[in-house]
Amino acid sequence: MSVYSFLKEIAHTDPATLGRKDFQTDQEVRWCPGCGDYAILAQVHKTLPELGIPRENFVFVSGIGCSSRFPYYTNTYGMHSIHGRAPSIATGVKVSRPDLSVWVVTGDGDALSIGGNHLIHALRRNVDLKILMFNNRIYGLTKGQYSPTSEQGKRTKSSPAGSVDYPFNPISLALSAEATFVARGVDVDAKGLGAVLERAAHHKGSAFVEIYQNCNIFNDGAFDYMTDRKTKAETEIRLEHGKPLRFGANGDKGIALDAQMNPMVVDVATHGEDKLLVHNETNAALGFFLSRLVHPEFPTPVGVFRAVTKPTFDGMMEDQLTAAKAKSKGGGVQRLLDGGESWTVT
Amino acid sequence: MSVYSFLKEIAHTDPATLGRKDFQTDQEVRWCPGCGDYAILAQVHKTLPELGIPRENFVFVSGIGCSSRFPYYTNTYGMHSIHGRAPSIATGVKVSRPDLSVWVVTGDGDALSIGGNHLIHALRRNVDLKILMFNNRIYGLTKGQYSPTSEQGKRTKSSPAGSVDYPFNPISLALSAEATFVARGVDVDAKGLGAVLERAAHHKGSAFVEIYQNCNIFNDGAFDYMTDRKTKAETEIRLEHGKPLRFGANGDKGIALDAQMNPMVVDVATHGEDKLLVHNETNAALGFFLSRLVHPEFPTPVGVFRAVTKPTFDGMMEDQLTAAKAKSKGGGVQRLLDGGESWTVT
Amino acid sequence: METTISKSSSTFESVAIRFAGDSGDGMQLTGSQFTETTALAGNDLATFPDYPAEIRAPAGSLAGVSGFQINFSSREVFTPGDEPDVLVAMNPAALKANIADLKQGGILIANTEQFGVKNLERAGYKSNPLEDGTLSAFRVFPVDITNITLRAIADVGLNQRAAVRTKNFFALGLVYWLFSRDMQHTLDWIQGSMAAKDPVVAEANARALRAGWNYGDTTEMFAQRYEVPKARIEPGRYKNMTGNEAAALGFLAAAELTGLDLFLGSYPITPASDILHYLSKQKHLGVRTFQAEDEIAAIGSAIGAAYAGSLALTTTSGPGIALKSEAMNLAMMLELPLLICDVQRGGPSTGLPTKTEQSDLLQVLYGRNGESPIPIVSASSPGDCFYAAIEAARIAVTYMTPVVLLTDGYLANGAEPWRIPDMASLPPIPVQFHTDPATFQPYARNEVLARPWAIPGTPGLEHRVGGLEKANVTGNVSYDPMNHDAMCRLRAEKVARIADSLPATEIFGDAEGDVLVVGWGGTMGALRAGVERARAEGHTVGHVHLRHLNPMPNDLGDILKRYRKVIVPELNLGQLWMLLRARYLVDAVSINKIQGKPFKEHEIARAIAEHAGSKA
Amino acid sequence: METTISKSSSTFESVAIRFAGDSGDGMQLTGSQFTETTALAGNDLATFPDYPAEIRAPAGSLAGVSGFQINFSSREVFTPGDEPDVLVAMNPAALKANIADLKQGGILIANTEQFGVKNLERAGYKSNPLEDGTLSAFRVFPVDITNITLRAIADVGLNQRAAVRTKNFFALGLVYWLFSRDMQHTLDWIQGSMAAKDPVVAEANARALRAGWNYGDTTEMFAQRYEVPKARIEPGRYKNMTGNEAAALGFLAAAELTGLDLFLGSYPITPASDILHYLSKQKHLGVRTFQAEDEIAAIGSAIGAAYAGSLALTTTSGPGIALKSEAMNLAMMLELPLLICDVQRGGPSTGLPTKTEQSDLLQVLYGRNGESPIPIVSASSPGDCFYAAIEAARIAVTYMTPVVLLTDGYLANGAEPWRIPDMASLPPIPVQFHTDPATFQPYARNEVLARPWAIPGTPGLEHRVGGLEKANVTGNVSYDPMNHDAMCRLRAEKVARIADSLPATEIFGDAEGDVLVVGWGGTMGALRAGVERARAEGHTVGHVHLRHLNPMPNDLGDILKRYRKVIVPELNLGQLWMLLRARYLVDAVSINKIQGKPFKEHEIARAIAEHAGSKA
Ligand SMILES: Cc1ncc(C[n+]2csc(CCOP(=O)(O)OP(=O)(O)O)c2C)c(N)n1
Ligand SMILES: Cc1ncc(C[n+]2csc(CCOP(=O)(O)OP(=O)(O)O)c2C)c(N)n1
Ligand code: SF4
Ligand code: SF4
Ligand SMILES: [Mg+2]
Ligand SMILES: [Mg+2]
């Protein structure tokens, strides 16, 4: 009898009985009052019970950062690991236990600074992970240095004369790393975020979700331009598969290509809706193109940039094992020991 | 008098006197006979004396791998460092000494596996480095394991059942990391490679050049499909700024967009040349699009995908120092020591 | 300001005060104002700020308590004091977290306004300790600090929230009164720095301060005042100095003394980040700071800068050292000067990031593959970080080697009054780049076994370095067995010989006798104070505090033999202890503590007494 | 095959032969064929393959020389032999690189065809050593191996290049003849494995082999033949086993003994990669191998797999350990079972990647921030890697801890005849995942201080682990000072107590007396042989070879006291030596060598004699 067989015999939690409360822990939540992380936590707690997965089958892995304290506040299996390495650890969890639903929670520093390589490799391999990157464009936990997503010229403790770093575009990067699901949400946009989280959760393969998150202590208001009710319509554009790219108060504006293949904002009425770009979640190059729509020249896209299905890393590895076992002549390790050239001394 | 002033006073080598021979070293070249690295070495030795730079102002930094032995064979300043870290080390050289011409030589494993993060961060910052990545789609030095550019299903020592990794597309990745110069060359294509190297050398900012390189020991023939004279015309497409994308025996074929914004191969005669995509080195999204043209569905693009000029990291840092010095009241460290609250004990 | 002194006052040799409150209560500012005023009053002093852990804890919670302790005296002071004589507790959590330390019979001043049901609960109190008799061992002074302050500044025109935030100045004023301190320095500061930002806030704080003073002076509450006379202090100009700032200044000074440009490659990490912050403001001095994507890139960039001719530095804490070790090894092999500053924190793993510990010694000594000798220098007080940084740089450029500077969280954030040095009085550190092609061999060695530093841009010295074993003299790659053996020993010998450049080891106290206390790093003050106590109790005790951990001083072996017992107090489980035993075969005793906190004087004194006693 | 024995033959107790040629000359294959045949002939034996360094050197160059040495005997054999009795040199470079080792009066067989001007020059010879008299100290047998072989296989129909490549089988045949070995095993192999790939090539090789034999038999060159009688060897089935294969098999066996699935996260690095290669072929046993993007991801994935319930493993060499150290520390803090296999190579930095060394001991012991106790197990011979791997796994799952297994390049690539174990005879290693929510506390501890292993998927045991200090029992984040102190000591105590589970230390040789030789790892054979020699010379000498470096066995301290002198031979600059001195205050002597090569028997014997002699 295998040491693992109890997992099959034991009575698993009935997912239908689970509610938001079941995912809260007894640990005091220690983010600053007003931090955007609270809203994201709430959305995740709302999403998890809806997925039809027993609570004990969730694993949350994080790195280090304010955002990375997330697992303590989520009553599942979890690991608050070391800085930047969560994608690797989560890969080990998922590859060894494809039956689990494995999530990574990370920050812009954790994921893109020290952890950039693990992130893009996990995405490239299409390991079936849900990766939530809280982007507050700052290192929160270490008290306010610029991060790889901070805008150039930003003055912080470590860049008193203004940072000379150009920022990464996380969506571009994820797409170039061959991620099969790439999306963006915003902390205060509960509905939009909820929808994106749900789609990510149901995606089979690696899902990368960038979540704009306000750090009200060290980078307050970074996303006000697009969360402010007054300007939102002009500064945000919602991506919908198969739909033309429209935004503005009454959808009066749209995105089209100019002759040089550069994007431009057009007036829908005069330009014609048929000449607008149409969103297509399956086209990586188009997704990349959309990721280049950057404030203030363009409205910021939110929603799903790319969603395609390809065999997952963990799935293919499992298949190889299954195939090898089917072909195996049995005999376990003894057969290996006995194999090859040998001689007998009597 | 500064410790560095000798650099200004000393007689520098007249670049006009330099020839290819001046860049060869007395070290025995220890690549396998037939290795593509030889051809690349020859092209670099040909390019360097043409740049108008004194030999002593070149620094070559490499990581670990067959390719990374390059500095030993190039008579400039050089460092054969540790695995994957060459971009960081080169950044330190360039940032501290903007007067130097700093080159990185790396392999697909060194640059994209262990060193992936340093590579994309160097590119993002636009540090003025020339990065040559020898892509043989294998780990050569460690005797043949699959690399992050190996095709899926490849059987190697570490993937006897075929690798389940999806490969990176290095050009896509470099573009998404905001590289200002991105190009591709091929070891045996001396002319094309020479042209790309020369443009990279003259580019002000970080230049990423992927060089297809045959490892005749562990991955022989990986690029035969496009180096073979017989098939070359159909499998390779040369990128030229402002020119429509044509290839084939007599340029009879071209690349155009279909209605879904996906690329398609068209017959120029029937489709019309004006409907072909026109290459534009300044459009990152277009560059990305072109990077998705992958064998065997499409011809492989060679040449320059992207070339734009932006202030460099080292240049901006230098400007900040200059500005700060101009505003400084002098007094050196003593002024700092003396500043702030203090009291006197007598 | 002229302050009239009323009520009786008595004189004390030393007093320790701890201010404690919520993170938002401004306790650090209160502490530093009290420190400066006390320094101006001519006392010797030591301080200890105690920040909450990295998390941002909810208001009123135990995790959010911030403290600041100052020990001031008419004699020489080595530590912030074991047990405060006075505790100012701005809320129940601050009381709960600190009351255990308050001396029996000590003074407790508590802000009663904060002792409502909710806050009591947050701090885990079932009943109000100010009322339930549990504090009977102390002299308790409940003061409604918040409301008195609010009344005092009512007409300044601040909103409620901002007004409440001035209450720390009320507390400060009250304590100034209690210890007969002059308020002028703080008033000047308020009218200067604070008023520049917001004159209204400044006015409110000035009033709060005066209100606190007046409260002490007028109410019947305090029967007497305390005075601590001036200490005899070396004349000079002083300022308050933290370890991180001193280290940064030391690196800057080393750059000036060598004539080199300073380059810092770093990745932020608690408690080292402030060095990066400080140096990034010094661009006018030609300092380049590079915030890298991780620790490996940070040291990588510094190695590049060193190769190119900078005074190269990388700063981090323990987990960062773990990541840098492969590159440290490369620097060792390249024999390039490189400064690696490790501001130690509580380990292992992420551990206790905001707490102090001395547990990276063996890591920096041994944490690399192969035989990889790297010199180690340590700093023993906040201000000493300045001199230790310069010494690290001297070794690095003289011997062409990476050097580790060990400081710790206690030194880094702690502050001490520090005599401002005169740059002209510091010995220069000569550096000469090699320029002559005729005499150039990349791995030739001079009289101290250092190889030449030949920087790019120098014609005729083009050469390649790397991490593979190199042939002696030429530096070419070499797989020759005997060469490898010789090079490993040469590198070890080079580092061992640094000991020849060190001054004789200073012994504090008795030059021979019962007990020798050997320490290193930030425990200096506690050890010295403990030794003083033990000597006062009649034991013959010496104290050696090592600046150099690798190599150790040549005379140390002899010194160890002069005492019947050697004890090695460390904030780890016995790391220097292990090294001393291995090297000198001395049956030393490890005194260890690993609580994220410095030693107390009495802990050391007790340990000494114990081992001095066992005259076996 | 019946082989007629002609010419006179004399009997020897032991013979060592070294085959040396260019990388392309097939010396490793020649060596392994000779090994198997010799094993079948009933000799005890030890082998040492000596590959060229990582670079692919040009044909005929010194850097490209590949060697294989075998020592076989009618007695017990511990090492491949100090100085070969016979050297087969396939080209001038092979001669140059190896002649210094050949015993005075030894036999040299050289392939004259290769001694043309060009090859002589490539090897750095000014004149032909076969002709200039410089080899007069040896019995030189110049044979035109290439051309005789070509003639012998002329009609098989191979092209020139392929034909030339059979010459190693000619050499093998010749040596078989010289040592009266039976060719049948090799002929079987040629007709089996080789013929399956290419029957023509097989036929050519078979002919070349016979031609070599016949050459010895018919020419006048060799006056006599040699015989080495059978040794007394423990009965059983044997095979040739390399250290890397044995380690891989050991991990597989441990998985079977625990009932766990094996997970390997690794990044290729010399000389560890072959473990990855071997395990990636075992998917049918449920083994998952993950080739990660770097060493950190490799161990990260293994930590994830351990958390999820696998027997998790990561394999690497020294530079990789440097990179893994932060994550090793996390695993220590998480108290998860994790196997970390370090196949040591020449350091520091990139060092000598293809050479052996024992210089990572202190790195794996101390190379982490904070107090981070991790058990260390080492293997002492190629085949012993199997048992050492199982022991590492036993400790990991029993004590819930990461464990380091140290092997080295010499063990990894070296092979020895190895008695095939019976899985059923190995003690099972019980593992029980925790399942009961009622009794679950993530950091509760059992009688050996291990915490429970509760894997995802188990209802009611949802819990969070992490790298911050954790509260005893609950495992919640804790900044409590006393808890931190207690946890640091608990973790240390847990590891220290592993010693209670170890058997009494075995002493080879004298149980007390003049000298105790203490060693660890791959030097076992040389130390044992050296001790035997010294004892034969009349010294009373004991040998203790440590499998466990952390914790060390409980009885070691007592054993050390029973000898007048303790010597510690290591392929480093004295790492175990340092630990023994620190721990036991024993004035041990370090015998060190750091040449990328194993000890010679006589080096050890000499050292013993020296220290046994100094009867002071
Ligand atoms: C190895 C290591 N290096 C550095 C740190 C310090 N550190 C902790 S979190 C962090 C950055 C956090 O930024 P981000 O991921 O954006 O998280 P946030 O706090 O903003 O949510 C840094 C630099 C660390 N803990 N470990
Ligand atoms: C820290 C570390 N890990 C692993 C290695 C082993 N290693 C050396 S080169 C290499 C991969 C080389 O591949 P690539 O960069 O493609 O170079 P190539 O040899 O193919 O030119 C590896 C894994 C090493 N030297 N150092
Ligand atoms: S510092 Fe910023 S990101 Fe961190 S908890 Fe506070 S508000 Fe949130
Ligand atoms: S192994 Fe491959 S890449 Fe390396 S030198 Fe040989 S042919 Fe070139
Ligand atoms: Mg952030
Ligand atoms: Mg490669």
Side-chain angles (χ1 to χ4, degrees), chain A residues 27, chain D residues 440-444 463-464 470-478:
Chain A
Q27 299 295 298
Chain D
F440 183 62
Q441 288 282 12
Y443 276 73
H463 67 287
R464 276 67 53 196
K470 20 203 51 44
N472 201 356
V473 184
T474 67
N476 288 334
V477 173
S478 166

Side-chain angles (χ1 to χ4, degrees), chain D residues 254 258 311 335-339 373-378 387-405 428-431 446 448-451 453 494-503 547-552:
Chain D
T258 53
L311 182 64
E335 302 191 42
L336 282 173
L338 173 67
L339 302 170
I374 293 186
I376 305 170
V377 168
S378 70
Y387 297 102
I390 294 173
E391 171 65 355
R394 175 190 75 85
I395 294 175
V397 299
T398 309
Y399 295 87
M400 290 292 284
T401 177
V403 177
V404 172
L405 170 63
I429 305 172
V431 165
N446 67 11
V448 296
L449 301 182
R451 73 176 194 90
W453 198 358
K494 176 174 86 169
V495 171
R497 284 206 206 157
I498 295 169
D500 298 340
S501 75
L502 306 182
R547 170 177 292 314
H548 295 91
L549 281 328
N550 190 34
M552 292 192 198

Side-chain angles (χ1 to χ4, degrees), chain A residues 64 66-67 83 107-110 136 138-142, chain C residues 268 295, chain D residues 326:
Chain A
I64 300 285
C66 295
S67 32
H83 199 30
D108 45 322
D110 193 61
N136 55 12
I138 200 82
Y139 294 165
L141 187 72
T142 49
Chain C
E295 282 83 356
Chain D
E326 191 202 11

Side-chain angles (χ1 to χ4, degrees), chain A residues 75-89:
Chain A
N75 195 2
T76 62
Y77 285 89
M79 189 188 296
H80 177 221
S81 75
I82 44 177
H83 199 30
R85 318 302 173 187
S88 314
I89 294 169

Side-chain angles (χ1 to χ4, degrees), chain C residues 400-574:
Chain C
M400 290 291 285
T401 178
V403 177
V404 172
L405 171 63
L406 288 176
T407 74
D408 63 43
Y410 173 64
L411 298 177
N413 294 320
E416 66 174 352
W418 185 65
R419 205 158 73 94
I420 297 172
D422 180 4
M423 282 297 294
S425 72
L426 300 173
I429 305 173
V431 166
Q432 189 94 58
F433 294 122
H434 196 96
T435 54
D436 178 13
T439 61
F440 182 62
Q441 287 281 14
Y443 276 73
R445 292 177 191 277
N446 68 10
E447 60 292 349
V448 296
L449 301 183
R451 74 176 193 90
W453 198 358
I455 65 173
T458 318
L461 305 192
E462 292 85 352
H463 67 288
R464 275 68 52 196
V465 294
L468 287 165
E469 182 59 282
K470 18 204 51 46
N472 200 356
V473 184
T474 67
N476 289 333
V477 174
S478 166
Y479 290 93
D480 177 39
M482 295 315 295
N483 176 74
H484 178 50
D485 198 288
M487 289 298 279
C488 283
R489 291 174 205 271
L490 253 175
R491 288 185 290 256
E493 176 65 18
K494 178 175 87 169
V495 171
R497 283 208 207 157
I498 295 169
D500 298 340
S501 75
L502 307 182
T505 301
E506 268 183 60
I507 305 174
F508 171 85
D510 301 302
E512 56 180 32
D514 296 337
V515 174
L516 177 68
V517 178
V518 185
W520 65 282
T523 56
M524 215 273 274
L527 268 49
R528 181 117 327 163
V531 167
E532 277 215 330
R533 280 201 199 191
R535 294 182 71 218
E537 290 164 16
H539 302 289
T540 58
V541 189
H543 175 206
V544 163
H545 212 76
L546 295 177
R547 172 178 287 316
H548 296 91
L549 280 328
N550 189 33
M552 292 193 198
N554 287 330
D555 55 3
L556 185 58
D558 281 343
I559 295 173
L560 293 173
K561 289 194 197 117
R562 292 193 225 136
Y563 301 82
R564 279 190 316 95
K565 199 82 210 168
V566 174
I567 71 174
V568 189
E570 295 175 272
L571 301 176
N572 59 40
L573 293 181

Side-chain angles (χ1 to χ4, degrees), chain A residues 31-32 35-37 66 136 140-141 213-218, chain C residues 56:
Chain A
W31 290 311
C32 305
C35 176
D37 290 352
C66 295
N136 55 12
L141 187 72
Q213 172 245 327
N214 192 41
C215 167
N216 55 312
I217 303 295
F218 296 113
Chain C
R56 266 147 215 92

